[in-house]
Amino acid sequence: MSTQAEVSLLGPAIHAQALTMKTARMTAYKDINLDLAAGQAHALLAEHKAGKRELLLTLAGHMLASSGELTIGGLNARSVKGLHAIKKLSGLGWFSNVNELEKVLRVRTCISAELGLMGKKSNRAATDAYLEQWGLLDVAEKNLEELDRMTYDLVGIALGMAGDPKLLVVQEIERDLTELQTMQLIDILCEISHGRGATVVCGMCDYGIASKFDSISCLTEDARAQRDAVLGQAAQTTPLGVA
């Protein structure tokens, strides 16, 4: 399949080898290897402050790795030209200090403005239709600061999808949510990939909850230990004769 077909039909496949981001002050992530299928929902598992944020922004074309190899839909993310192209085909959920908006803004205002930026109809009828599509019409007149955490995260996802991106990247969604709420958001992310053909990549900390994704990539030794503990416990409770 050609690169163009891979991006247009299934969203981008993501391949990283020995990907590293170092600055004069810190190493954000080091020696990351990824092979993520196109058009699926993927979890990147690591503990807090382990470089997930920087890696996710790199995958979306908002940051540049310092070494290693990274291709997204066949585009070279280690070149400035490739990075710009990747950024255009990507959408972001909320990322602090990157795309979070003033909390006094109304939900309808945020959605209307984003639809307009994406070259779509942004009048009242079109905005309300989009809000209804995401189950957000009931909170259209609320300010962002009035929303509960799950609804706030959902608004971020809806904004990220306003331009019908082929790649959606989402920061940790477990923060301040119950396990049930987190799973509901994961269901939405999986539907985005399976129903809309986008590739979805989400940072996660809990392997058990992340198991709802199509794949999980463990980025750190702690993440791999958590995976092995969960899988080992599951194996111990599996009845005899069941694979």
Side-chain angles (χ1 to χ4, degrees), residues 10-80:
L10 291 173
I14 299 173
H15 306 285
Q17 184 173 2
L19 198 67
T20 298
M21 177 180 285
K22 289 185 179 180
T23 68
R25 299 173 54 189
M26 63 177 290
T27 298
Y29 54 80
K30 183 178 179 181
D31 293 332
I32 298 296
N33 298 306
L34 295 174
D35 190 7
L36 307 182
Q40 294 190 3
H42 309 278
L44 301 185
L45 189 73
E47 58 274 19
H48 291 296
K49 299 183 179 180
K52 289 196 303 295
R53 170 187 164 86
E54 291 81 4
L55 179 57
L56 289 164
L57 289 172
T58 302
L59 298 181
H62 288 259
M63 299 186 80
L64 182 65
S66 52
S67 63
E69 298 179 6
L70 175 62
T71 60
I72 298 177
L75 298 166
N76 180 9
R78 295 279 289 113
S79 72
V80 174

Side-chain angles (χ1 to χ4, degrees), residues 53-173:
R53 170 187 164 86
E54 291 81 4
L55 179 57
L56 289 164
L57 289 172
T58 302
L59 298 181
H62 288 259
M63 299 186 80
L64 182 65
S66 52
S67 63
E69 298 179 6
L70 175 62
T71 60
I72 298 177
L75 298 166
N76 180 9
R78 295 279 289 113
S79 72
V80 174
K81 182 179 179 180
L83 201 69
H84 286 166
I86 290 164
K87 190 174 181 179
K88 287 182 179 179
L89 64 84
S90 303
L92 295 178
W94 294 125
F95 278 78
S96 58
N97 301 317
V98 175
N99 65 340
E100 282 194 313
L101 301 172
E102 293 292 332
K103 297 295 180 68
V104 296
L105 292 173
R106 291 185 306 163
V107 173
R108 180 180 279 112
T109 301
C110 297
I111 294 294
S112 178
E114 192 66 19
L115 289 173
L117 285 173
M118 295 297 114
K120 293 191 171 185
K121 290 183 179 180
S122 57
N123 57 30
R124 177 69 174 252
T127 299
D128 283 0
Y130 190 77
L131 287 165
E132 186 171 17
Q133 177 184 341
W134 290 94
L136 294 169
L137 190 56
D138 289 345
V139 298
E141 294 301 322
K142 287 190 175 183
N143 299 336
L144 293 176
E145 63 186 354
E146 298 179 275
L147 304 178
D148 61 73
R149 186 72 212 190
M150 181 179 174
T151 306
Y152 179 75
D153 285 348
L154 183 57
V155 170
I157 293 169
L159 287 168
M161 289 299 296
D164 298 319
K166 294 301 181 183
L167 171 65
L168 177 68
V169 176
V170 182
Q171 205 169 193
E172 293 173 5
I173 57 173

